[in-house]
Amino acid sequence: LQAAGPQLPYLGWLCCLGTGCCPLCRAVCQPLCALSGMVAVPLPVSLSWGHSQDRVQLLHPRKCFLHLHRLVLRECWPGRAALAVRLYHATASGVLQDDTDFKERLSLGKDKALSISRVTLQDARTFMCQVGAGSYGVGENSTKLSVYKVPTVPEIEPNSGGISVQSSEIPENREWDGRGVTIPSTLTRESSGLYTVSSALYAPVRRQDRHSRYHCTVHYWLRGQRSSVDSRGVKVNVFYPAEHLKLKVVSASELVKEGDDVQLVCETDGNPQPVFSFLKKTVDDWLDLSSLAEPDSGVLNLHDVTKSSSGTYKCQSLDLDDMTQLEEDVDLVVNYIEGVRVKMEPSSTLHEGDSVTLSCDAHSPVDLKYQWRDEKGKELANGNQLFLSNLTFENSNNFSCKVMAPSVPGLEQSKQVSLAVEGKPRIVAISSPLYVRPDEVVNLTCKAVAYPQPTVQWSINGTAREYRDKQHITSNLTVRVSHALLQAGAMCRVSNHLGVSEKHIQLLDQKSTAESQGVIIVAIIVAILVVAVLGAVIYFLHKKGKIPCGRARKQDITKPEARKDKIVVEVKSDKLSEEAGLLQGANGEKRAAAEQNEKYIDLRN
């Protein structure tokens, strides 16, 4: 059986066991005292309320010759007589269960052991068993059942406002009893029979406690064992004054350059952070910049810094609790490039064929590197000078001098210079020859390059359109083809104050040109056929042997007949080849050694 509550005293026959009883009482109670050992009484039972075990055995007779007389639930309240409620009793027909609140949860085993199921906190009672032994009378004994509930997880709440290390308003409530620190607690019994315990810790804090975590532990006994439950850990907001101050420069790169965003961050090791002030050193005094800082943050933001942003900055902190003041300064160095300029030598007007030297210069507190590029971004040279020779109109362009600081990544500036090469116009393309038909509308094109800008004139009338791109000019003339235009063509004339350039555009009749082309094609075909026939005749004559070409009768058919006044001498080798017999002619016959070693010397010339 499971139950909870205080241990109730049993006020029964135990009184007869006292040494001060009279002989009469001792004579009456002595048999019952002997029978009391016949009832098995377990140790006081302690169960946890809500535990998975919901049935417990309480009392049962120990000797087989005993019979159950009755089972009684006895309650005793202070100032009142003991109240006994019968649960089971013996009759002539057997053991019967009485109608009580326990009826639905009680059971009696074959060995007359009493069990209770679905134990509640209100089942904490004292149960008594009575047994009979015939003429010896009736004996009884009792046991107490206690029910416990495991405490819930303790709830802990820190001081929401925080505690200062300098505060003395809250007295300390910790006591040292020789074994450890004890803290007073309050115990309250609820109407449900449960107890609520509460405790508050009051203690001074130190600076070292800012990282400490606090929790409380509830200790309790269950089934003879000591157990405990811990609360969650909490931190206490500890207030303490600052002892050190640090001012640092925060930027995207280690070295600050013009255009960067910079933060000056002021930090202290106090809590809460004190009031911060920012100042910048001038020639004679300090300039207050606190209005530019973020309120209550200790951060001063400097956007798009320039050369003038360099200098010494100071941060001051003021603790309002003890009015202590700390300060520290830092130097801000902003790297820059200024005064980029490009110089051209000679500085006079440039003409085609001239040479020029471009020089680039700049000022910076760090070492600089120079690089030259054209307007398309192509790298031309490194160094602060660029030399250009044999200038043409195509050199007339924009050049860029890029100045970089290798030690400060991202620090660079560029300067552009426009180079203009002057000269008389030069026509670079015309639409000639142009095949047209009479009375057809055509476009005549003339392209030229020159500087200064030239003008374009045509020798015939028409509709002209011009397109200019730097030193280049293109003129398109729309005109109707006439017989006179076919005969004379058109003249494109381009000029500026340095000279004139002109070219003639030839117009050809497309029909006549087509006929001429047909005649040429026919002539080519006829020539090819004649050559083919001639080649066939020569080959045929050669096959028939009409043209002698071999052995001793060989003649040069390309040379004229030998004149009679010329002498041809035949020279033969006296030494025959040892392998002459192995040599054969083209027709498979063996050649004579003399034939194979013949040599001729032409003495005609």
Side-chain angles (χ1 to χ4, degrees), residues 375-431:
E375 63 180 5
K376 295 181 180 179
K378 180 182 178 181
E379 183 177 340
L380 301 177
N382 290 314
N384 68 328
Q385 286 190 342
L386 175 65
F387 178 74
L388 301 172
S389 61
N390 195 21
L391 297 177
T392 63
F393 290 124
E394 284 72 15
N395 296 127
S396 299
N397 212 329
N398 291 326
F399 294 89
S400 173
C401 172
K402 186 177 182 181
V403 186
M404 301 168 290
S407 61
V408 185
L411 180 59
E412 59 184 40
Q413 282 195 17
S414 297
K415 184 72 172 181
Q416 285 191 346
V417 59
S418 180
L419 193 63
V421 179
E422 295 186 355
K424 72 175 186 176
R426 184 172 69 249
I427 297 176
V428 294
I430 57 172
S431 54

Short mmCIF file of all heavy atoms in Angstrom, two decimals, residues 375-431:
data_model
loop_
_atom_site.label_atom_id
_atom_site.label_comp_id
_atom_site.label_asym_id
_atom_site.label_seq_id
_atom_site.Cartn_x
_atom_site.Cartn_y
_atom_site.Cartn_z
N GLU A 375 43.71 53.41 -74.70
CA GLU A 375 42.31 53.61 -74.33
C GLU A 375 41.52 52.30 -74.30
O GLU A 375 40.43 52.24 -73.72
CB GLU A 375 41.64 54.58 -75.29
CG GLU A 375 41.58 54.08 -76.73
CD GLU A 375 40.91 55.09 -77.63
OE1 GLU A 375 40.58 56.20 -77.17
OE2 GLU A 375 40.72 54.76 -78.80
N LYS A 376 42.05 51.23 -74.87
CA LYS A 376 41.40 49.93 -74.82
C LYS A 376 41.83 49.12 -73.60
O LYS A 376 41.38 48.00 -73.41
CB LYS A 376 41.70 49.13 -76.09
CG LYS A 376 41.13 49.76 -77.35
CD LYS A 376 41.44 48.90 -78.56
CE LYS A 376 40.87 49.52 -79.84
NZ LYS A 376 41.19 48.70 -81.04
N GLY A 377 42.70 49.68 -72.79
CA GLY A 377 43.17 48.99 -71.59
C GLY A 377 44.37 48.12 -71.80
O GLY A 377 44.82 47.44 -70.86
N LYS A 378 44.94 48.11 -72.98
CA LYS A 378 46.11 47.29 -73.25
C LYS A 378 47.35 47.92 -72.62
O LYS A 378 47.59 49.11 -72.75
CB LYS A 378 46.32 47.15 -74.76
CG LYS A 378 47.53 46.32 -75.14
CD LYS A 378 47.69 46.25 -76.66
CE LYS A 378 48.93 45.47 -77.04
NZ LYS A 378 49.12 45.41 -78.50
N GLU A 379 48.12 47.08 -71.91
CA GLU A 379 49.32 47.58 -71.25
C GLU A 379 50.41 47.83 -72.29
O GLU A 379 50.72 46.98 -73.13
CB GLU A 379 49.81 46.58 -70.21
CG GLU A 379 51.02 47.04 -69.42
CD GLU A 379 51.43 46.04 -68.35
OE1 GLU A 379 50.60 45.19 -67.97
OE2 GLU A 379 52.60 46.11 -67.92
N LEU A 380 51.00 49.04 -72.22
CA LEU A 380 52.03 49.43 -73.18
C LEU A 380 53.43 49.39 -72.57
O LEU A 380 54.37 48.94 -73.23
CB LEU A 380 51.74 50.84 -73.70
CG LEU A 380 50.39 51.03 -74.41
CD1 LEU A 380 50.21 52.48 -74.81
CD2 LEU A 380 50.29 50.12 -75.63
N ALA A 381 53.59 49.87 -71.35
CA ALA A 381 54.92 49.92 -70.75
C ALA A 381 54.79 50.14 -69.26
O ALA A 381 53.74 50.57 -68.75
CB ALA A 381 55.75 51.04 -71.38
N ASN A 382 55.89 49.85 -68.52
CA ASN A 382 56.00 50.13 -67.10
C ASN A 382 57.07 51.19 -66.90
O ASN A 382 58.04 51.27 -67.66
CB ASN A 382 56.36 48.87 -66.32
CG ASN A 382 55.21 47.87 -66.28
OD1 ASN A 382 54.07 48.25 -66.01
ND2 ASN A 382 55.49 46.61 -66.55
N GLY A 383 56.89 51.97 -65.87
CA GLY A 383 57.80 53.08 -65.62
C GLY A 383 57.08 54.40 -65.81
O GLY A 383 55.97 54.47 -66.35
N ASN A 384 57.73 55.46 -65.38
CA ASN A 384 57.05 56.75 -65.42
C ASN A 384 57.19 57.45 -66.77
O ASN A 384 56.71 58.57 -66.93
CB ASN A 384 57.57 57.67 -64.31
CG ASN A 384 59.01 58.07 -64.54
OD1 ASN A 384 59.79 57.31 -65.11
ND2 ASN A 384 59.36 59.26 -64.10
N GLN A 385 57.82 56.79 -67.79
CA GLN A 385 57.96 57.40 -69.11
C GLN A 385 57.50 56.43 -70.19
O GLN A 385 57.67 55.21 -70.09
CB GLN A 385 59.41 57.81 -69.39
CG GLN A 385 59.85 59.04 -68.62
CD GLN A 385 61.20 59.56 -69.09
OE1 GLN A 385 61.96 58.85 -69.75
NE2 GLN A 385 61.51 60.81 -68.77
N LEU A 386 56.87 57.02 -71.25
CA LEU A 386 56.43 56.27 -72.42
C LEU A 386 56.96 56.98 -73.66
O LEU A 386 56.66 58.17 -73.87
CB LEU A 386 54.91 56.18 -72.46
CG LEU A 386 54.31 55.51 -73.69
CD1 LEU A 386 54.71 54.03 -73.75
CD2 LEU A 386 52.78 55.64 -73.70
N PHE A 387 57.75 56.27 -74.49
CA PHE A 387 58.34 56.85 -75.70
C PHE A 387 57.61 56.31 -76.92
O PHE A 387 57.47 55.09 -77.09
CB PHE A 387 59.83 56.52 -75.78
CG PHE A 387 60.49 57.05 -77.01
CD1 PHE A 387 60.76 58.41 -77.13
CD2 PHE A 387 60.85 56.20 -78.06
CE1 PHE A 387 61.38 58.91 -78.28
CE2 PHE A 387 61.46 56.69 -79.19
CZ PHE A 387 61.73 58.05 -79.31
N LEU A 388 57.13 57.23 -77.79
CA LEU A 388 56.43 56.87 -79.02
C LEU A 388 57.17 57.50 -80.19
O LEU A 388 57.47 58.70 -80.17
CB LEU A 388 54.98 57.36 -78.99
CG LEU A 388 54.11 56.84 -77.84
CD1 LEU A 388 52.77 57.55 -77.82
CD2 LEU A 388 53.92 55.33 -77.96
N SER A 389 57.47 56.69 -81.22
CA SER A 389 58.20 57.19 -82.39
C SER A 389 57.39 56.94 -83.65
O SER A 389 56.46 56.11 -83.65
CB SER A 389 59.56 56.51 -82.49
OG SER A 389 59.41 55.11 -82.65
N ASN A 390 57.77 57.68 -84.74
CA ASN A 390 57.14 57.53 -86.05
C ASN A 390 55.62 57.62 -85.92
O ASN A 390 54.90 56.70 -86.29
CB ASN A 390 57.56 56.21 -86.70
CG ASN A 390 57.23 56.18 -88.18
OD1 ASN A 390 57.04 57.23 -88.81
ND2 ASN A 390 57.13 54.99 -88.74
N LEU A 391 55.17 58.71 -85.37
CA LEU A 391 53.75 58.89 -85.10
C LEU A 391 52.94 58.94 -86.38
O LEU A 391 53.39 59.45 -87.41
CB LEU A 391 53.53 60.16 -84.30
CG LEU A 391 54.17 60.20 -82.90
CD1 LEU A 391 53.94 61.57 -82.25
CD2 LEU A 391 53.64 59.11 -82.01
N THR A 392 51.74 58.38 -86.31
CA THR A 392 50.78 58.42 -87.41
C THR A 392 49.44 58.87 -86.86
O THR A 392 49.28 59.07 -85.65
CB THR A 392 50.64 57.05 -88.08
OG1 THR A 392 50.11 56.12 -87.11
CG2 THR A 392 51.98 56.54 -88.59
N PHE A 393 48.47 59.01 -87.80
CA PHE A 393 47.13 59.37 -87.34
C PHE A 393 46.57 58.31 -86.40
O PHE A 393 45.81 58.61 -85.49
CB PHE A 393 46.20 59.53 -88.54
CG PHE A 393 46.51 60.74 -89.38
CD1 PHE A 393 46.77 60.63 -90.73
CD2 PHE A 393 46.56 62.00 -88.81
CE1 PHE A 393 47.05 61.74 -91.50
CE2 PHE A 393 46.85 63.12 -89.56
CZ PHE A 393 47.10 62.99 -90.92
N GLU A 394 46.97 57.04 -86.63
CA GLU A 394 46.46 55.97 -85.76
C GLU A 394 46.97 56.11 -84.33
O GLU A 394 46.39 55.56 -83.40
CB GLU A 394 46.87 54.61 -86.34
CG GLU A 394 46.05 54.16 -87.54
CD GLU A 394 46.40 54.96 -88.80
OE1 GLU A 394 47.44 55.65 -88.80
OE2 GLU A 394 45.63 54.90 -89.77
N ASN A 395 48.09 56.82 -84.14
CA ASN A 395 48.59 57.06 -82.78
C ASN A 395 47.80 58.13 -82.05
O ASN A 395 47.96 58.29 -80.84
CB ASN A 395 50.06 57.48 -82.83
CG ASN A 395 50.96 56.39 -83.36
OD1 ASN A 395 51.73 56.59 -84.28
ND2 ASN A 395 50.84 55.18 -82.79
N SER A 396 47.00 58.86 -82.79
CA SER A 396 46.18 59.89 -82.14
C SER A 396 45.16 59.20 -81.26
O SER A 396 44.17 58.63 -81.75
CB SER A 396 45.50 60.76 -83.20
OG SER A 396 46.45 61.41 -84.01
N ASN A 397 45.40 59.21 -79.97
CA ASN A 397 44.60 58.40 -79.06
C ASN A 397 44.71 58.95 -77.66
O ASN A 397 45.47 59.88 -77.39
CB ASN A 397 45.11 56.95 -79.09
CG ASN A 397 43.99 55.96 -78.86
OD1 ASN A 397 43.04 56.27 -78.17
ND2 ASN A 397 44.12 54.78 -79.46
N ASN A 398 43.95 58.33 -76.75
CA ASN A 398 44.04 58.67 -75.33
C ASN A 398 44.93 57.65 -74.64
O ASN A 398 44.71 56.44 -74.76
CB ASN A 398 42.66 58.68 -74.68
CG ASN A 398 41.81 59.83 -75.16
OD1 ASN A 398 42.32 60.91 -75.44
ND2 ASN A 398 40.50 59.60 -75.28
N PHE A 399 45.91 58.12 -73.91
CA PHE A 399 46.81 57.26 -73.15
C PHE A 399 46.58 57.52 -71.66
O PHE A 399 46.27 58.64 -71.25
CB PHE A 399 48.27 57.53 -73.52
CG PHE A 399 48.59 57.16 -74.94
CD1 PHE A 399 48.43 58.08 -75.97
CD2 PHE A 399 49.06 55.90 -75.23
CE1 PHE A 399 48.73 57.74 -77.27
CE2 PHE A 399 49.35 55.55 -76.55
CZ PHE A 399 49.19 56.47 -77.57
N SER A 400 46.74 56.45 -70.88
CA SER A 400 46.48 56.53 -69.44
C SER A 400 47.73 56.16 -68.67
O SER A 400 48.37 55.14 -68.94
CB SER A 400 45.33 55.59 -69.06
OG SER A 400 45.17 55.53 -67.67
N CYS A 401 48.06 57.01 -67.68
CA CYS A 401 49.15 56.71 -66.74
C CYS A 401 48.52 56.26 -65.42
O CYS A 401 47.83 57.04 -64.76
CB CYS A 401 50.02 57.94 -66.53
SG CYS A 401 51.26 57.73 -65.22
N LYS A 402 48.72 55.01 -65.06
CA LYS A 402 48.18 54.45 -63.84
C LYS A 402 49.27 54.43 -62.77
O LYS A 402 50.31 53.81 -62.94
CB LYS A 402 47.66 53.04 -64.09
CG LYS A 402 46.93 52.41 -62.93
CD LYS A 402 46.40 51.04 -63.32
CE LYS A 402 45.63 50.40 -62.17
NZ LYS A 402 45.12 49.05 -62.56
N VAL A 403 48.98 55.11 -61.63
CA VAL A 403 49.93 55.20 -60.52
C VAL A 403 49.43 54.30 -59.40
O VAL A 403 48.29 54.44 -58.95
CB VAL A 403 50.09 56.65 -60.04
CG1 VAL A 403 51.19 56.74 -58.99
CG2 VAL A 403 50.39 57.58 -61.21
N MET A 404 50.29 53.38 -58.94
CA MET A 404 49.90 52.41 -57.92
C MET A 404 50.90 52.41 -56.76
O MET A 404 52.07 52.73 -56.96
CB MET A 404 49.82 51.00 -58.52
CG MET A 404 48.84 50.87 -59.68
SD MET A 404 49.06 49.32 -60.56
CE MET A 404 50.63 49.61 -61.37
N ALA A 405 50.39 52.06 -55.58
CA ALA A 405 51.23 51.90 -54.39
C ALA A 405 51.26 50.41 -54.04
O ALA A 405 50.29 49.89 -53.47
CB ALA A 405 50.70 52.72 -53.23
N PRO A 406 52.31 49.68 -54.38
CA PRO A 406 52.34 48.23 -54.12
C PRO A 406 52.17 47.86 -52.66
O PRO A 406 51.62 46.81 -52.35
CB PRO A 406 53.71 47.80 -54.66
CG PRO A 406 54.10 48.88 -55.63
CD PRO A 406 53.51 50.15 -55.09
N SER A 407 52.64 48.70 -51.75
CA SER A 407 52.57 48.37 -50.33
C SER A 407 51.18 48.58 -49.74
O SER A 407 50.90 48.11 -48.64
CB SER A 407 53.59 49.20 -49.55
OG SER A 407 53.32 50.59 -49.69
N VAL A 408 50.32 49.29 -50.46
CA VAL A 408 48.96 49.56 -49.97
C VAL A 408 47.99 49.02 -51.03
O VAL A 408 47.70 49.70 -52.02
CB VAL A 408 48.71 51.06 -49.73
CG1 VAL A 408 47.33 51.28 -49.13
CG2 VAL A 408 49.79 51.64 -48.84
N PRO A 409 47.51 47.80 -50.88
CA PRO A 409 46.62 47.21 -51.89
C PRO A 409 45.39 48.09 -52.13
O PRO A 409 44.73 48.54 -51.20
CB PRO A 409 46.23 45.86 -51.27
CG PRO A 409 47.33 45.55 -50.31
CD PRO A 409 47.79 46.87 -49.77
N GLY A 410 45.12 48.31 -53.42
CA GLY A 410 43.95 49.09 -53.80
C GLY A 410 44.18 50.58 -53.92
O GLY A 410 43.29 51.30 -54.40
N LEU A 411 45.35 51.07 -53.51
CA LEU A 411 45.63 52.50 -53.61
C LEU A 411 46.20 52.78 -54.99
O LEU A 411 47.33 52.38 -55.29
CB LEU A 411 46.60 52.92 -52.51
CG LEU A 411 46.99 54.41 -52.51
CD1 LEU A 411 45.75 55.29 -52.35
CD2 LEU A 411 48.00 54.71 -51.42
N GLU A 412 45.45 53.47 -55.85
CA GLU A 412 45.89 53.78 -57.20
C GLU A 412 45.09 54.97 -57.74
O GLU A 412 43.96 55.23 -57.29
CB GLU A 412 45.72 52.58 -58.12
CG GLU A 412 44.30 52.06 -58.20
CD GLU A 412 44.18 50.81 -59.03
OE1 GLU A 412 45.06 49.93 -58.92
OE2 GLU A 412 43.19 50.71 -59.79
N GLN A 413 45.69 55.65 -58.70
CA GLN A 413 45.04 56.76 -59.41
C GLN A 413 45.52 56.76 -60.85
O GLN A 413 46.60 56.24 -61.16
CB GLN A 413 45.36 58.12 -58.75
CG GLN A 413 44.57 58.39 -57.49
CD GLN A 413 44.64 59.85 -57.07
OE1 GLN A 413 45.02 60.72 -57.87
NE2 GLN A 413 44.30 60.12 -55.83
N SER A 414 44.72 57.33 -61.74
CA SER A 414 45.04 57.36 -63.16
C SER A 414 44.89 58.78 -63.69
O SER A 414 44.08 59.57 -63.19
CB SER A 414 44.14 56.41 -63.95
OG SER A 414 44.34 55.07 -63.55
N LYS A 415 45.69 59.04 -64.71
CA LYS A 415 45.64 60.34 -65.39
C LYS A 415 45.69 60.07 -66.89
O LYS A 415 46.57 59.34 -67.37
CB LYS A 415 46.82 61.21 -64.97
CG LYS A 415 46.80 62.61 -65.57
CD LYS A 415 45.72 63.47 -64.94
CE LYS A 415 45.82 64.92 -65.40
NZ LYS A 415 44.81 65.77 -64.79
N GLN A 416 44.77 60.68 -67.64
CA GLN A 416 44.71 60.48 -69.08
C GLN A 416 45.29 61.68 -69.81
O GLN A 416 45.21 62.81 -69.34
CB GLN A 416 43.27 60.25 -69.55
CG GLN A 416 42.73 58.87 -69.22
CD GLN A 416 41.42 58.59 -69.93
OE1 GLN A 416 40.79 59.50 -70.46
NE2 GLN A 416 41.02 57.33 -69.94
N VAL A 417 45.86 61.39 -70.98
CA VAL A 417 46.39 62.44 -71.84
C VAL A 417 45.98 62.10 -73.27
O VAL A 417 46.03 60.94 -73.69
CB VAL A 417 47.93 62.55 -71.72
CG1 VAL A 417 48.61 61.26 -72.08
CG2 VAL A 417 48.44 63.70 -72.58
N SER A 418 45.57 63.11 -74.01
CA SER A 418 45.15 62.94 -75.40
C SER A 418 46.29 63.37 -76.32
O SER A 418 46.81 64.48 -76.20
CB SER A 418 43.88 63.75 -75.68
OG SER A 418 43.46 63.58 -77.01
N LEU A 419 46.67 62.48 -77.22
CA LEU A 419 47.77 62.73 -78.14
C LEU A 419 47.20 62.95 -79.54
O LEU A 419 46.59 62.03 -80.12
CB LEU A 419 48.73 61.54 -78.13
CG LEU A 419 50.09 61.76 -78.80
CD1 LEU A 419 50.86 62.84 -78.06
CD2 LEU A 419 50.88 60.46 -78.81
N ALA A 420 47.38 64.16 -80.09
CA ALA A 420 46.86 64.51 -81.42
C ALA A 420 48.01 64.68 -82.40
O ALA A 420 48.89 65.51 -82.20
CB ALA A 420 46.04 65.79 -81.34
N VAL A 421 48.00 63.87 -83.46
CA VAL A 421 49.01 63.92 -84.51
C VAL A 421 48.40 64.61 -85.73
O VAL A 421 47.39 64.14 -86.27
CB VAL A 421 49.51 62.51 -84.88
CG1 VAL A 421 50.55 62.60 -86.00
CG2 VAL A 421 50.09 61.82 -83.65
N GLU A 422 48.99 65.73 -86.17
CA GLU A 422 48.46 66.47 -87.29
C GLU A 422 49.13 66.05 -88.60
O GLU A 422 50.27 65.58 -88.61
CB GLU A 422 48.65 67.98 -87.08
CG GLU A 422 47.86 68.54 -85.90
CD GLU A 422 47.97 70.05 -85.80
OE1 GLU A 422 48.74 70.62 -86.60
OE2 GLU A 422 47.29 70.63 -84.94
N GLY A 423 48.40 66.25 -89.71
CA GLY A 423 48.95 65.94 -91.03
C GLY A 423 47.89 66.12 -92.09
O GLY A 423 46.69 66.25 -91.79
N LYS A 424 48.33 66.17 -93.34
CA LYS A 424 47.38 66.33 -94.42
C LYS A 424 46.58 65.04 -94.58
O LYS A 424 47.03 63.96 -94.17
CB LYS A 424 48.09 66.70 -95.71
CG LYS A 424 48.86 65.56 -96.35
CD LYS A 424 49.43 65.99 -97.69
CE LYS A 424 50.10 64.81 -98.41
NZ LYS A 424 50.57 65.21 -99.75
N PRO A 425 45.40 65.12 -95.15
CA PRO A 425 44.53 63.94 -95.25
C PRO A 425 45.16 62.82 -96.05
O PRO A 425 45.98 63.05 -96.96
CB PRO A 425 43.28 64.48 -95.91
CG PRO A 425 43.31 65.96 -95.68
CD PRO A 425 44.75 66.34 -95.67
N ARG A 426 44.75 61.61 -95.72
CA ARG A 426 45.18 60.44 -96.44
C ARG A 426 43.96 59.56 -96.67
O ARG A 426 43.30 59.12 -95.72
CB ARG A 426 46.24 59.68 -95.66
CG ARG A 426 46.80 58.48 -96.41
CD ARG A 426 48.00 57.84 -95.70
NE ARG A 426 47.63 57.17 -94.45
CZ ARG A 426 47.96 57.59 -93.26
NH1 ARG A 426 48.63 58.72 -93.14
NH2 ARG A 426 47.60 56.92 -92.19
N ILE A 427 43.63 59.34 -97.97
CA ILE A 427 42.49 58.50 -98.31
C ILE A 427 42.90 57.05 -98.16
O ILE A 427 43.88 56.60 -98.75
CB ILE A 427 42.01 58.79 -99.75
CG1 ILE A 427 41.53 60.26 -99.86
CG2 ILE A 427 40.89 57.84 -100.14
CD1 ILE A 427 41.13 60.66 -101.26
N VAL A 428 42.13 56.32 -97.37
CA VAL A 428 42.49 54.94 -97.05
C VAL A 428 41.60 53.92 -97.76
O VAL A 428 41.99 52.74 -97.87
CB VAL A 428 42.42 54.71 -95.52
CG1 VAL A 428 43.47 55.54 -94.83
CG2 VAL A 428 41.04 55.04 -94.98
N ALA A 429 40.45 54.33 -98.28
CA ALA A 429 39.58 53.38 -98.98
C ALA A 429 38.59 54.13 -99.86
O ALA A 429 38.06 55.17 -99.46
CB ALA A 429 38.83 52.50 -97.98
N ILE A 430 38.35 53.57 -101.09
CA ILE A 430 37.32 54.08 -101.99
C ILE A 430 36.63 52.89 -102.65
O ILE A 430 37.19 51.78 -102.71
CB ILE A 430 37.91 55.01 -103.07
CG1 ILE A 430 39.00 54.27 -103.88
CG2 ILE A 430 38.45 56.29 -102.47
CD1 ILE A 430 39.50 55.05 -105.07
N SER A 431 35.43 53.14 -103.12
CA SER A 431 34.67 52.08 -103.79
C SER A 431 34.98 52.10 -105.28
O SER A 431 34.17 52.56 -106.10
CB SER A 431 33.17 52.28 -103.55
OG SER A 431 32.77 53.58 -103.93
#
